[in-house]
Amino acid sequence: MPQLPHFQLLARYNAWMNAKLYAAAGQLSAQALSEDRGAFFPSILATLNHIAVADIIWLKRFAEHPACAELRQAISDLQRPTALDQLLFDTLEPLHALRSRLDGHISDWVAALTEQDLEQVLAYGNMKGVPAQRPYASLMLHFFNHQTHHRGQTSALLHQAGQDIGVTDLLALIADIDVPA
């Protein structure tokens, strides 16, 4: 069974959900975005920063795949974050611009992959330099799952701040199939 259509769907879901989160976050004051709400990454802004930080870390790793020269070039100007709680931006506007850029790179990267690319093993080092070798497709699944996990947290934080982002289910992007009677 081909895996690539699933990753293409997850890339679309990523961009769709991020657009919803940032639209809702854009309705809040800077103070509300930075307020400590008792979450793992304390504020809405800190959680959104973490998602971007993790995406940059993983995209830099994924770009080392021999088939990902375009991704490697596209993100070459981005600095590799040094901490998972690093604040890339302390205001929403530049973070939103980065988020939009990352989502475009994610969509382009996934669109350029082949089924054979997904079968490769990726060798990388974690934030502490510990080496690992794992299946590329499994790491991609982790990448998208990580985003979903923290977007769920952000959704809850936005709800606490009075912002409802609406439907968040992946099901909303899955086309209904007409079955002949």
Side-chain angles (χ1 to χ4, degrees):
M1 177 175 181
Q3 298 180 79
L4 209 44
H6 297 291
F7 290 118
Q8 291 164 344
L9 175 63
L10 290 172
R12 281 185 32 233
Y13 178 70
N14 168 66
W16 178 64
M17 282 301 305
N18 284 332
K20 291 169 70 88
L21 287 179
Y22 278 85
Q27 300 303 307
L28 298 174
S29 68
Q31 180 181 351
L33 289 169
S34 298
E35 180 181 328
D36 187 334
R37 298 178 184 277
F40 187 78
F41 295 97
S43 68
I44 293 166
L45 191 62
T47 305
L48 291 172
N49 264 282
H50 170 70
I51 298 168
V53 162
D55 282 4
I56 293 168
I57 291 167
W58 277 106
L59 287 172
K60 291 272 189 189
R61 292 172 183 164
F62 289 133
E64 295 306 314
H65 188 295
C68 295
E70 287 181 28
L71 175 62
R72 192 167 36 259
Q73 177 61 34
I75 64 172
S76 64
D77 64 316
L78 295 176
Q79 295 297 314
R80 188 178 303 269
T82 57
L84 294 174
D85 61 353
Q86 182 175 336
L87 279 182
L88 300 172
F89 297 102
D90 60 2
T91 59
L92 189 64
E93 187 175 307
L95 184 60
H96 188 189
L98 174 63
R99 177 75 269 157
S100 296
R101 178 182 171 196
L102 291 174
D103 290 346
H105 292 324
I106 291 166
S107 294
D108 292 346
W109 159 59
V110 173
L113 291 172
T114 66
E115 291 293 334
Q116 294 75 25
D117 294 331
L118 299 177
E119 295 171 7
Q120 301 300 310
V121 171
L122 182 67
Y124 66 95
N126 70 11
M127 295 286 289
K128 295 179 181 176
V130 176
Q133 293 187 59
R134 294 196 170 102
Y136 200 80
S138 296
L139 292 173
M140 287 180 66
L141 186 59
H142 164 74
F143 173 74
F144 286 114
N145 185 65
H146 179 266
Q147 294 170 336
T148 300
H149 167 70
H150 287 294
R151 279 194 305 262
Q153 291 175 333
T154 308
S155 174
L157 296 175
L158 285 164
H159 183 75
Q160 289 173 7
Q163 295 296 311
D164 180 4
I165 64 169
V167 174
T168 62
D169 292 333
L170 177 64
L171 182 62
L173 297 183
I174 300 172
D176 200 17
I177 298 175
D178 291 327
V179 179

